[in-house]
Amino acid sequence: MWCKSDVIDSEVVVLGAGPAGLVLANLLCAVGMRCTVLERRSREWVENRARAGFLAPDSVEVLRRHGLAEGLDRYGSTHEICEFRGPDRKFELSYGSLGSGRPHTVYPQQLLVTDLLAELLRRGGTVEFETTAEAVGDLDSDRPWVQTRDAAGRVRRHTGQFLAGCDGARGIAAAAVPPPAAIRDHGITWLALLVQAPPSSANVLYGVHPEGFAGHMPRSADITRYYLQCDPEDTPESWSEQRVWDALTRRLAATDQEPLSRGPVVERSLVRLRSEIRDSLRQGRLLLAGDACTAISPSAAKGANLAIMGAELLARALTAALRHHDMTAVDRYSADYLPMIQRAQEFSHWMIELLHPPAPDDPQAAYQRVLRRARLDSLATSRHHQDFFAENYVGI
Ligand code: RFL
């Protein structure tokens, strides 16, 4: 039996203060909804977690539409050219003037999250930091709950009319809905690096090297993200700074005329490329948004964008349900969101095949190498292929 002070009631309880949870909570607060966000980490951790940087035009529009784009409009930068570099060829694609003719906006995820948090608190939202959601229940009732434990070890129960699972791919919400219908481990691991140095080029660089993929993504004037495909058995420590810069130099075809601007590696982690696709994003009154819905590889920079788009869809559905007693959009939520997720998965997989050489023990390796080269040739020369790439690269 719960004592009264240990039960906190809201209209919507949001699990997770990432882009999905914070956009959702901002939109709900804007219509006067009582909404509590539960976040297991500290505010400082959440505001400093560097992840995404490339925002699609559709996600930027969502943020602008809801008064959440002040920071990115002031400090973000437009990005519209990417470059493919191999040992024997280089080419640029001005994707901002191909396909649907739209650029990316580069704005580091931690800055966006910081802005979203500040705005949510300004709108009167509640965020409970260092509060871990440990269990959810009564999902098929009209009063589902989340059981939490805070940093002091206090266990409480948060109830709401709906729960929003925005707690990422490994969160407890994803485990409470029907399991993924399809799972794919791509067998590829990246060493993801943040380097304290200005970008080496204004462009995103994709190193398509027989030895493995390397990527260069501008983030800000003094921080650059690099990726290096590595052995799945590697640890971050198996890469000394010397080894990192040697591999980046080779795979990104850097030269004395186009050198890499070096600096200390300030963060390194391993990212295993995995995909998970679900048929349903809902169990009763628990609905998922963002990474909780789908594990997606960062190869096409879709995750944060899917999170923002899904948060807007979910906010609309919950507002219709709770303000107008209309459950149609809640019932249609999975069917509305899944096509977006599936297209992002398809293009991310297309990018994985383009960027990575086949595994050396793949019996089809020679064949795969020929296909990859032909695809790159086509991308370098065919306007139709370039339009397809550009439309999908910025689309969501
Ligand atoms: P998040 O950001 O993971 O937030 C989930 C939050 O939930 C909290 N949490 C819990 N809280 C309470 N109780 C629990 N039991 C909890 N369990 C978890 C976590 O602490 C966390 O704060 O999910 P969200 O909001 O769905 O956002 C998804 C994005 O973060 C993610 O898709 C992107 O970062 C992916 N991604 C990129 N996406 C892009 O669109 N463009 C990019 O350029 C891009 N670059 C990247 C990326 C992901 C990367 N990694 C590290 C996988 C680059 C990298 C290296």
Side-chain angles (χ1 to χ4, degrees):
M1 199 59 191
W2 293 88
C3 90
K4 231 177 168 183
S5 62
D6 287 339
V7 179
I8 296 113
D9 189 53
S10 313
E11 290 183 272
V12 179
V13 184
V14 179
L15 287 73
L22 292 173
V23 170
L24 173 66
N26 266 289
L27 270 52
L28 295 178
C29 275
V31 294
M33 200 94 77
R34 277 184 306 112
C35 160
T36 301
V37 181
L38 307 172
E39 169 55 53
R40 69 174 166 174
R41 304 288 193 159
S42 65
R43 179 169 182 172
E44 193 193 0
W45 186 91
V46 166
E47 290 185 338
N48 285 291
R49 185 169 70 139
R51 294 190 105 197
F54 274 66
L55 293 175
D58 289 338
S59 340
V60 171
E61 274 316 304
V62 168
L63 296 168
R64 285 195 184 128
R65 194 154 51 235
H66 299 287
L68 300 171
E70 206 184 307
L72 77 84
D73 279 334
R74 187 173 310 164
Y75 303 112
S77 54
T78 297
H79 192 280
E80 51 196 340
I81 305 175
C82 64
E83 193 177 329
F84 292 84
R85 292 185 174 183
D88 48 9
R89 82 176 315 165
K90 285 182 186 183
F91 61 93
E92 281 186 10
L93 286 185
S94 299
Y95 63 87
S97 33
L98 292 159
S100 51
R102 301 184 303 165
H104 279 118
T105 299
V106 179
Y107 191 56
Q109 181 168 322
Q110 66 274 28
L111 301 186
L112 177 65
V113 162
T114 301
D115 297 350
L116 292 171
L117 255 175
E119 180 59 19
L120 177 61
L121 298 174
R122 202 192 61 74
R123 290 180 186 189
T126 305
V127 186
E128 299 208 359
F129 290 103
E130 299 186 63
T131 298
T132 302
E134 292 191 328
V136 290
D138 289 341
L139 301 178
D140 295 315
S141 77
D142 58 6
R143 215 72 210 160
W145 52 260
V146 187
Q147 188 167 305
T148 61
R149 185 183 298 272
D150 67 17
R154 183 172 176 195
V155 176
R156 287 181 301 166
R157 187 166 269 205
H158 290 259
T159 56
Q161 295 184 47
F162 285 95
L163 309 182
C166 304
D167 50 344
R170 303 269 157 270
I172 64 161
V177 304
I183 299 178
R184 180 164 173 127
D185 183 337
H186 298 279
I188 294 168
T189 303
W190 288 0
L191 179 66
L193 304 157
L194 273 185
V195 172
Q196 194 166 4
S200 302
S201 158
N203 304 339
V204 164
L205 307 179
Y206 293 114
V208 282
H209 197 276
E211 181 187 307
F213 164 69
H216 159 278
M217 321 276 149
R219 282 292 189 260
S220 65
D222 53 3
I223 291 284
T224 306
R225 192 176 267 297
Y226 288 92
Y227 296 116
L228 275 171
Q229 183 182 356
C230 62
D231 192 286
E233 305 303 320
D234 284 355
T235 61
E237 295 69 43
S238 38
W239 285 80
S240 65
E241 296 225 357
Q242 184 66 45
R243 190 177 171 208
V244 162
W245 289 109
D246 287 351
L248 286 172
T249 303
R250 263 192 321 277
R251 297 187 198 176
L252 291 170
T255 59
D256 290 346
Q257 290 70 43
E258 289 181 303
L260 298 179
S261 50
R262 298 187 180 205
V265 175
V266 290
E267 202 182 289
R268 51 174 74 211
S269 60
L270 294 176
V271 180
R272 179 90 181 172
L273 272 49
R274 289 183 80 257
S275 301
E276 286 182 5
I277 309 184
R278 292 168 192 278
D279 286 339
S280 169
L281 309 175
R282 176 184 179 196
Q283 177 65 57
R285 287 190 167 230
L286 167 68
L287 294 101
L288 308 182
D291 276 9
C293 298
T294 188
I296 186 164
S297 91
S299 55
K302 298 294 184 201
N305 293 293
L306 284 174
I308 293 167
M309 303 302 289
E312 189 191 44
L313 268 183
L314 185 52
R316 265 197 227 129
L318 295 180
T319 304
L322 292 173
R323 289 291 175 269
H324 309 293
H325 310 290
D326 179 356
M327 286 286 282
T328 319
V330 165
D331 292 337
R332 253 199 358 240
Y333 175 67
S334 295
D336 286 346
Y337 194 10
L338 281 171
M340 227 184 266
I341 292 174
Q342 290 160 0
R343 280 210 50 190
Q345 286 281 1
E346 191 279 326
F347 186 65
S348 297
H349 187 251
W350 186 93
M351 285 290 279
I352 288 174
E353 289 188 332
L354 183 75
L355 298 178
H356 302 91
D361 59 354
D362 180 346
Q364 302 287 313
Y367 176 69
Q368 298 291 353
R369 270 194 290 275
V370 173
L371 294 194
R372 183 168 174 249
R373 172 172 282 272
R375 187 179 280 185
L376 277 164
D377 283 347
S378 173
L379 194 55
T381 53
S382 155
R383 174 66 198 242
H384 286 304
H385 207 156
Q386 293 169 354
D387 285 333
F388 160 85
F389 171 82
E391 190 175 325
N392 283 279
Y393 195 48
V394 299
I396 197 82

